[in-house]
Amino acid sequence: MYFILDSLRRHDQFEMLLQSGSNKHEKLKRALLDYLWRPQDKTLREMVALHLTMYRAVAEMHKQEADKQLVALRGVRLEPSFAFKQALSRIQEQYTDAAENFFKDECLHYGQRCQAMASLVALQIRLLASDVRVICLSTQEVVQLMSRHTSFHDCLIVAEAYKMRSMSSWIEPLYNQVIVRGNFSYYAEFKRTFPRKSSLCSEIAA
């Protein structure tokens, strides 16, 4: 099968497979995507996905690859090297591509999850020089990070990526940043983001 696809591709005849009716053959659709994933030809893969309306399948492949690459970095020491940044950039791109394809298939929840992960990896790239780790954290490590990190915007990215959406997740960070350290810009950003929860600091202080 791959020999035939290779031949068609070399002779610029790949679009023959996308003639009317090809989108009805599930095995062919899956074989095409599996084949296109190997050479990492994003443009051709997206063209096939568009024709065969397989955005979700492409999105899931991107997400699985991103998840696998991210897990491989668990326990690996952070370093601001070009190679490490490139590795993170590839993961960020995979999550971004996954999000775009999920949105095209109107899978909003999964698209937003992948967007959040792409933002987390982008944040990790930005924080490499400061040796602050935001990827592959446990729940306890996330809470500790949010409590000591002075940027509310960064903490919000972390909270979204790790699904720490409840207001209880912000109690300890707000106490440490606002009550203990007097970081009122942190509180100001919190109020702008969660205007209906602006009384939370008063409750903490009480």
Side-chain angles (χ1 to χ4, degrees), residues 185-205:
S185 62
Y186 191 101
Y187 183 44
E189 291 185 54
F190 175 84
K191 285 198 299 182
R192 280 195 294 270
T193 306
F194 304 110
R196 296 182 181 180
K197 305 295 182 180
S198 59
S199 63
L200 187 58
C201 264
S202 300
E203 295 174 14
I204 295 171

Side-chain angles (χ1 to χ4, degrees), residues 41-102:
D41 192 328
K42 179 181 175 182
T43 302
L44 190 55
R45 186 165 59 246
E46 290 183 348
M47 179 186 72
V48 173
L50 173 62
H51 183 84
L52 303 181
T53 58
M54 292 186 70
Y55 293 122
R56 180 161 186 153
V58 173
E60 289 172 348
M61 293 172 80
H62 279 299
K63 182 182 181 300
Q64 288 171 8
E65 186 63 24
D67 289 343
K68 182 175 71 175
Q69 293 178 21
L70 190 62
V71 168
L73 295 180
R74 183 172 292 157
V76 176
R77 185 178 180 277
L78 299 178
E79 53 180 76
S81 65
F82 177 77
F84 201 85
K85 287 180 181 178
Q86 284 293 96
L88 289 173
S89 294
R90 285 192 293 271
I91 296 172
Q92 180 189 358
E93 183 178 358
Q94 294 277 18
Y95 278 126
T96 299
D97 288 342
E100 290 176 356
N101 281 282
F102 274 129

Side-chain angles (χ1 to χ4, degrees), residues 161-177:
Y162 288 96
K163 303 180 183 179
M164 308 277 281
R165 299 188 183 95
S166 67
M167 285 299 104
S168 61
S169 301
W170 290 99
I171 293 177
E172 188 172 335
L174 284 169
Y175 178 80
N176 280 285
Q177 290 298 324

